[in-house]
Amino acid sequence: MQYFGKFHEAKPDAIKPAGHLKEQLSRQNNGIGSHYAEQGYPFDTPMWNGGVGRIELASVICHDESGETPMQEAWWPYEQSAYLLDGLLRLGILLDDPAKKELFRKNLQYMMSHPAEDGTLGHCYNESPSEWPMAVFFRAVNAWYELTGDKKVQEAMLRHFTSITPEKLALGFRHINNLEGLLKTYEWTGDASLLI
């Protein structure tokens, strides 16, 4: 596959923080980076590694009795935990923290080993039809793949994106954001079926 860009991505571990940046990352690591579960739901759950296990009503989380959490909105704990996992993985890479990298690997492994009936990934969470959490989670998947070159990740993402219909990708709340993952998977594999 020919690349026409002028710039190339650096591998996530090619950056070695020092000085002020290292100090700030260390503070983050010793703060919320090491105490995220104390922030409460959904960060005190297994997250994508077996699911959050419960759906909290929006009225409880937001302290607003008018808030509701219908099943089709049950995706938000996975969106939030995907953001956290992405940040923790990148923090783990920059500070060479094996525990943070392992936390992400376990979540990734669970997600890849629990595809939906149609072959798509990211539905290890309840019965929510939303594709948005997977778009968020894929950002960390990309960092992991760039770090490790794990062919199982490449294969799983190829199966996922060849299973998702163009209609499902294009329609629905924020679903189109999965296009980033689809195109990245094409970059990894060169599989032309992803371009249809």
Side-chain angles (χ1 to χ4, degrees):
M1 180 172 69
Q2 188 174 1
Y3 179 71
F4 294 97
K6 300 293 184 193
F7 299 99
H8 296 274
E9 287 184 59
K11 286 186 66 170
D13 60 347
I15 308 301
K16 302 296 182 204
H20 178 71
L21 178 58
K22 186 172 185 178
E23 173 63 25
Q24 291 303 312
L25 290 172
S26 294
R27 288 181 188 183
Q28 183 179 7
N29 189 41
N30 293 328
I32 194 169
S34 294
H35 302 283
Y36 57 86
E38 294 168 18
Q39 301 299 311
Y41 185 78
F43 308 124
D44 60 349
T45 70
M47 295 183 271
W48 289 60
N49 183 16
V52 296
R54 67 183 194 272
I55 298 298
E56 295 287 347
L57 296 176
S59 58
V60 172
I61 300 299
C62 302
H63 305 289
D64 177 0
E65 292 185 22
S66 65
E68 295 181 20
T69 307
M71 186 49 90
Q72 63 268 22
E73 296 297 324
W75 52 264
W76 73 266
Y78 293 90
E79 170 201 35
Q80 294 302 304
S81 58
Y83 283 126
L84 177 70
L85 289 166
D86 182 28
L88 291 176
L89 172 61
R90 292 169 192 275
L91 189 60
I93 293 168
L94 288 169
L95 296 178
D96 196 23
D97 181 334
K100 286 186 177 46
K101 291 186 270 188
E102 179 63 9
L103 174 69
F104 178 75
R105 189 201 65 76
K106 286 180 178 179
N107 278 266
L108 173 63
Q109 181 59 44
Y110 186 90
M111 186 270 305
M112 290 191 315
S113 64
H114 290 82
E117 287 183 20
D118 65 1
T120 56
L121 297 172
H123 293 278
C124 50
Y125 50 87
N126 301 304
E127 299 171 13
S128 172
S130 180
E131 298 300 323
W132 170 240
M134 187 59 185
V136 177
F137 192 75
F138 185 84
R139 293 175 185 153
V141 171
N142 182 44
W144 180 260
Y145 179 77
E146 295 296 328
L147 177 70
T148 66
D150 185 345
K151 294 295 183 191
K152 291 179 182 177
V153 172
Q154 187 184 90
E155 294 163 6
M157 293 298 104
L158 180 59
R159 278 192 309 276
H160 169 72
F161 285 115
T162 54
S163 297
I164 199 167
T165 65
E167 294 77 20
K168 192 169 189 178
L169 183 69
L171 302 173
F173 181 62
R174 302 182 192 164
H175 291 193
I176 194 62
N177 289 293
N178 283 281
L179 187 59
E180 176 185 11
L182 184 145
L183 293 174
K184 201 56 144 161
T185 302
Y186 172 70
E187 179 183 316
W188 298 342
T189 65
D191 190 312
S193 68
L194 293 168
L195 303 178
I196 297 174

